[in-house]
Amino acid sequence: MATINDNYLKLKAGYLFPEIARRVNKFATENPNAPIIRLGIGDVTEPLPAACRDAMIRAVEDMGDRDKFKGYGPEQGYAWLREKIAAQDFQARGCDISADEIFISDGSKCDNGNILDIFGNNNSIAVTDPVYPVYVDTNVMAGHTGEANEKGEYGGLVYLPVTAENNFTAQIPSQKVDLIYLCFPNNPTGAVATREHLQAWVDYAKANGSIIFFDAAYEAFISDPGIPHSIYEIPGARDCAIEFRSFSKNAGFTGTRCALSVIPKTLTAKAADGSDVELWQLWNRRQSTKFNGVSYVVQRGAEAVYSPEGQAQTKALVSFYLENAKIIREQMSAAGLQVYGGVNAPYVWVRTPDNITSWDFFDKLLFNSNVVVTPGSGFGAAGEGYFRISAFNSRDNVNEAMKRISTHFK
Ligand SMILES: *Cc1c(COP(=O)(O)O)cnc(C)c1O
């Protein structure tokens, strides 16, 4: 008799975004004329940069030309893309990262989940709370946790609360953990990490033989010049960190799909016999076996991000969303709400007024203003009492949503 992976049954049924969709759909059915504005899910809204589109069109033409046609590419990605990434995203910032330490993929979400393939099942794992749900759910699926309690916390995970009280940067744990998920600029809080904070994590990881999974999907949104864009700007990080990046948010590739992970060749972890094994070798083996690369057309599109036009266009795209975030911050503050984030990230993290729960405030905004936000408690127990507003929207929608919420609060 065939059996299932029972770990899937531990997953909390009401995953955040389906529950939001359920409530919005119910409201929309009961109020068919309500002009709903969605500032909820973190998907981009603006079209692809012209440089990327043009490059992809040329690549499609290549595919129709017998001499330029491409079949299977390297599982790790084309060298011309990996070299540009290494030079412009890393070496230009003083990071000692080479092209062959970069693995091109079809998404950071997949990479964040797939990376667990090369790690053992008995690692202790730390996540921040609130957290990007992918880190937690992939560990649940892999059998690395116990059951969830009523707050949605899984047994066996170490939760590091991040709140206004600690400036949304987790305290370095007092106990030893083996794997640590960090995301800066942060989804959902919009917080960033200083060089000192990242150095403290790197020192901790090196002292404890831990590996940091550093999710830098939003690095392009960093506008404060003192904030590191990569964990590899921190001395020692080559020996303790894997970095994940994506073209989804800087270049609008959420529907096009291209990302990368960085596995330094100096990074090792222990085998059962106590020996040190290179993680690069394992990941290379894993990708070569389970993955056949990102399409040539898409990799050409990603490559165009590094051209002068692509750089200017992605910068303009990021600035557009950051201006939305600024409008959101200003309007929410003016309405008397306490706001965080939104300066180096496309997310504004807002305290609910009068200690209302996140979901009650979600319903209030939906019913009274027809605006959809994301309840903070959906990202973890410590997100209770907060909600996330996404800056990924048209300027008109942002202005209209802010006008409605402000009027409602006066
Ligand atoms: C959007 C996002 C990503 C990118 O995911 P893709 O699969 O590359 O689209 C990664 N991490 C976080 C925290 C995100 O919000």
Side-chain angles (χ1 to χ4, degrees):
M1 184 104 63
T3 62
I4 60 151
N5 175 353
D6 276 273
N7 295 312
Y8 277 63
L9 305 180
K10 293 180 198 159
L11 293 165
K12 292 256 292 172
Y15 176 72
L16 177 59
F17 292 106
E19 175 60 18
I20 292 174
R22 195 188 64 76
R23 292 191 190 208
V24 174
N25 289 341
K26 180 164 181 287
F27 178 78
T29 309
E30 289 163 4
N31 304 274
N33 297 322
I36 296 172
I37 297 179
R38 293 161 204 269
L39 301 181
I41 294 185
D43 194 1
V44 299
T45 53
E46 303 309 298
L48 282 181
C52 301
R53 294 197 310 265
D54 291 344
M56 286 193 274
I57 290 166
R58 284 195 301 273
V60 170
E61 297 295 344
D62 288 350
M63 294 301 262
D65 178 334
R66 198 165 205 299
D67 296 327
K68 295 183 183 162
F69 170 79
K70 299 276 188 291
Y72 291 124
E75 290 95 346
Q76 301 82 356
Y78 284 102
W80 34 259
L81 176 57
R82 299 166 85 196
E83 279 157 13
K84 289 188 181 72
I85 293 168
Q88 297 190 42
D89 283 341
F90 295 99
Q91 292 158 12
R93 290 194 181 277
C95 306
D96 174 20
I97 294 296
S98 64
D100 60 355
E101 294 175 320
I102 289 164
F103 292 82
I104 307 300
S105 79
D106 60 352
S108 259
K109 192 201 227 184
C110 334
D111 285 345
N112 269 293
N114 292 339
I115 197 71
L116 294 176
D117 264 19
I118 65 167
F119 286 92
N121 288 323
N122 295 315
N123 289 307
S124 56
I125 297 159
V127 293
T128 62
D129 175 8
V131 67
Y132 181 51
V134 173
Y135 313 148
V136 172
D137 289 0
T138 52
N139 275 291
V140 175
M141 291 171 174
H144 297 166
T145 73
E147 300 287 340
N149 66 17
E150 67 289 346
K151 286 199 287 183
E153 295 163 330
Y154 289 92
L157 290 184
V158 176
Y159 287 91
L160 308 171
V162 287
T163 59
E165 287 64 45
N166 57 18
N167 223 354
F168 301 101
T169 43
Q171 186 160 4
I172 310 290
S174 45
Q175 78 263 51
K176 189 167 140 45
V177 294
D178 303 307
L179 303 177
I180 304 144
Y181 289 85
L182 296 179
C183 175
F184 289 114
N186 189 260
N187 177 9
T189 68
V192 285
T194 60
R195 197 167 293 277
E196 293 69 32
H197 184 67
L198 292 183
Q199 185 71 64
W201 275 115
V202 167
D203 293 345
Y204 170 88
K206 289 193 63 163
N208 290 284
S210 331
I211 302 282
I212 297 169
F213 296 147
F214 190 75
D215 186 341
Y218 296 97
E219 68 81 24
F221 292 82
I222 294 174
S223 43
D224 180 340
I227 299 295
H229 287 236
S230 166
I231 188 95
Y232 304 114
E233 290 179 51
I234 308 302
R238 274 187 63 86
D239 303 320
C240 64
I242 291 173
E243 182 162 309
F244 300 105
R245 288 207 182 188
S246 173
F247 293 93
S248 284
K249 312 294 161 50
N250 63 337
F253 272 47
T254 53
T256 308
R257 313 304 305 142
C258 198
L260 58 116
S261 34
V262 186
I263 318 237
K265 289 195 165 170
T266 41
L267 196 57
T268 63
K270 294 282 179 203
D273 66 4
S275 61
D276 292 312
V277 177
E278 270 184 32
L279 293 174
W280 186 94
Q281 295 287 0
L282 299 187
W283 185 246
N284 192 46
R285 189 73 171 85
R286 190 260 172 220
Q287 290 297 81
S288 306
T289 301
K290 293 196 179 182
F291 186 56
N292 250 336
V294 175
S295 89
Y296 169 71
V297 174
V298 167
Q299 290 191 68
R300 282 293 186 203
E303 182 192 25
V305 166
Y306 298 93
S307 67
E309 308 77 53
Q311 288 287 293
Q313 290 161 10
T314 49
K315 202 161 169 240
L317 201 51
V318 166
S319 300
F320 171 79
Y321 292 126
L322 283 175
E323 179 65 23
N324 281 349
K326 182 163 176 266
I327 293 168
I328 295 168
R329 279 179 60 88
E330 288 171 358
Q331 295 292 312
M332 292 295 91
S333 294
L337 295 168
Q338 185 67 52
V339 303
Y340 305 94
V343 176
N344 296 291
Y347 299 119
V348 182
W349 189 241
V350 189
R351 190 103 187 110
T352 62
D354 310 321
N355 290 319
I356 309 174
T357 69
S358 299
W359 276 112
D360 283 350
F361 198 70
F362 170 91
D363 286 336
K364 237 174 139 71
L365 283 182
L366 178 61
F367 297 154
N368 298 342
S369 310
N370 305 155
V371 173
V372 181
V373 297
T374 315
S377 56
F379 296 102
E384 181 58 272
Y386 293 89
F387 60 99
R388 187 190 76 175
I389 305 185
S390 167
F392 289 128
N393 221 309
S394 67
R395 185 64 45 80
D396 284 351
N397 273 351
V398 167
N399 282 332
E400 172 62 21
M402 291 305 110
K403 196 171 96 197
R404 286 192 211 157
I405 300 178
S406 307
T407 326
H408 164 231
F409 271 100
K410 288 227 169 86

